[in-house]
Amino acid sequence: MPRNVILTCALTGAGDTAGRNENVPVTPEEIAADAIAAARAGASIVHIHVRDPQTTLGSRAVAHYREAVRLVRESDVDPVINLTAGMGGDLVVDPHQPTRQLPGTDLVSGIDRLPHVEELRPEICTIDCGTLNFGEGSDVYVSTPDMLREGAAAIQRMGVTPEMEIFDTGNLWFANVLVQEGLIDPPPLYQLCMGIPYGAPADPRLLQTMVDMLPEGAEFTSFSLGRNQLPWVARSVLAGGHARVGLEDNLYLSKGVKATNAALTERAASIVEGLGHQVATPDEARDILDLTVQTPATTKGA
C-alpha cells in the first residue's frame, strides 16, 4: 500500500573522505549549502556532521554546528535537522600497551558529546547504541550502557528526538531496553546501520531479523555503504522502513561517477517512487515521527 517514506541525506560524516571526492562538503557554509540542495532534491531530513576546515576531518566544534544550522534555518527550505551526537567516542588503542591511547583518540563522556544539541535544539540527534570494533586496526567506538542511559536522559530532557544508531543486534537489544525503561519517548526511531566493519553485515536476511526485533510502533530507517547504498534504499523500503543516502556513506553515483548529495537524493527519491510510494515532505516526516520544533537554548551567533 502506498505510504510516505522519509528520505534522509547524510551529508558529510567524519571519515577521511574529502580527498577522495571533491564534492564532500567541509566548511559549515559548504555543509549548509549541501543540506539546502538535498532538501530541494527531496530530502525530508538532513543529517549533519561538521568538519575542521583546515584538516577536513570530523570535528565537535559547536561554532561549526552553529553556523551550518543557522544557514539552513535561514534558507528557503525547512528540512528536519538531525545532528550527530556520535563524535567523541573514538578510542585508538596501542595493541601492545592497551592502556595507552594513540593519536586519533577523541574520547569524552556521553554528556560531553551533546553541547551542540543543548544549544541548537535540533528536532533529532543521534545516539550510538553500543561499543564497536570500528574497521581494521585498533580503532574502537566507545558507547557503554552507563553513557547511553545518561545521554538518553539528557536528550529526553532537552525535548529532542533521539535516532538510535544500531550497528549490530546487541545494540538493538540495548536500544529496546532504553525504550522499555522509558528513556526514549514514543515513537522510537531506529537507524539500522548495515555493512560497517565490524558491525552488522549488509545481509537482507539480517535486516529482516532486526526489523522483527523492533518494538511495536517503532519507526526505522536503514542504510548500507558504498555500492550497496542505492540498492539498500529499496531493501529498506520493502522491509517497511525509511531510507538514507548521502556522501557520509557513499562517494559514487555509479561506477567511476563521483556523487553529490543532491544527486544521491534525487536517485533515492526515484527508487522510492518507483516502488509506488511517495517521499515524505519535511512536515509529513514531522508528523510520522511526532517531532516538536525546539527553541534553541541560546541565539548566540544567530
Side-chain angles (χ1 to χ4, degrees), residues 1-6 241-242 272 277-281 284-285 288:
M1 188 170 184
R3 61 187 175 89
N4 289 330
V5 173
I6 298 169
H242 306 288
V272 171
H277 303 294
Q278 302 84 37
V279 175
T281 67
E284 288 168 342
I288 293 168

Side-chain angles (χ1 to χ4, degrees), residues 134-179:
F134 204 84
E136 300 293 346
S138 297
D139 293 20
V140 180
Y141 183 81
V142 178
S143 191
T144 68
D146 283 346
M147 289 177 173
L148 285 163
R149 285 189 171 94
E150 187 176 35
I155 293 166
Q156 189 175 55
R157 288 193 298 271
M158 294 175 200
V160 175
T161 293
E163 178 185 83
M164 294 181 286
E165 307 295 292
I166 307 300
F167 296 94
D168 213 340
T169 51
N171 293 180
L172 180 50
W173 180 2
F174 187 76
N176 288 345
V177 169
L178 292 177
V179 172

Side-chain angles (χ1 to χ4, degrees), residues 28-65:
E29 294 78 14
E30 291 170 348
I31 293 166
D34 264 32
I36 293 165
R40 289 176 178 156
S44 323
I45 298 174
V46 291
H47 174 57
I48 297 176
H49 286 248
V50 295
R51 291 175 178 252
D52 182 310
Q54 278 69 53
T55 66
T56 77
L57 300 178
S59 171
R60 289 190 286 114
V62 175
H64 297 334
Y65 283 104

Side-chain angles (χ1 to χ4, degrees), residues 37-234:
R40 289 176 178 156
S44 323
I45 298 174
V46 291
H47 174 57
I48 297 176
H49 286 248
V50 295
R51 291 175 178 252
D52 182 310
Q54 278 69 53
T55 66
T56 77
L57 300 178
S59 171
R60 289 190 286 114
V62 175
H64 297 334
Y65 283 104
R66 185 184 302 129
E67 181 65 4
V69 169
R70 179 186 70 81
L71 291 168
V72 176
R73 285 176 170 166
E74 291 180 355
S75 74
D76 61 349
V77 294
D78 186 29
V80 175
I81 292 176
N82 174 345
L83 298 184
T84 184
M87 301 297 291
D90 298 316
L91 172 62
V92 185
V93 177
D94 184 329
H96 304 294
Q97 299 180 53
T99 58
R100 179 175 170 238
Q101 298 179 2
L102 296 181
T105 294
D106 178 28
L107 186 60
V108 298
S109 73
I111 294 298
D112 288 336
R113 301 176 198 185
L114 296 172
H116 60 302
V117 178
E118 176 76 39
E119 176 177 327
L120 299 170
R121 301 297 172 96
E123 292 168 270
I124 300 174
C125 75
T126 63
I127 182 167
D128 293 357
C129 287
T131 298
L132 176 71
N133 287 331
F134 204 84
E136 300 293 346
S138 297
D139 293 20
V140 180
Y141 183 81
V142 178
S143 191
T144 68
D146 283 346
M147 289 177 173
L148 285 163
R149 285 189 171 94
E150 187 176 35
I155 293 166
Q156 189 175 55
R157 288 193 298 271
M158 294 175 200
V160 175
T161 293
E163 178 185 83
M164 294 181 286
E165 307 295 292
I166 307 300
F167 296 94
D168 213 340
T169 51
N171 293 180
L172 180 50
W173 180 2
F174 187 76
N176 288 345
V177 169
L178 292 177
V179 172
Q180 293 163 7
E181 292 178 352
L183 289 168
I184 306 294
D185 294 327
L189 174 59
Y190 294 73
Q191 178 72 262
L192 306 179
C193 311
M194 315 296 288
I196 296 172
Y198 285 101
D203 184 324
R205 297 166 300 175
L206 182 56
L207 173 64
Q208 188 58 57
T209 296
M210 295 171 81
V211 170
D212 291 343
M213 291 173 65
L214 297 174
E216 185 176 354
E219 296 287 345
F220 80 92
T221 299
S222 180
F223 73 88
S224 190
L225 304 183
R227 70 182 67 182
N228 289 321
Q229 182 184 77
L230 290 168
W232 208 265
V233 171

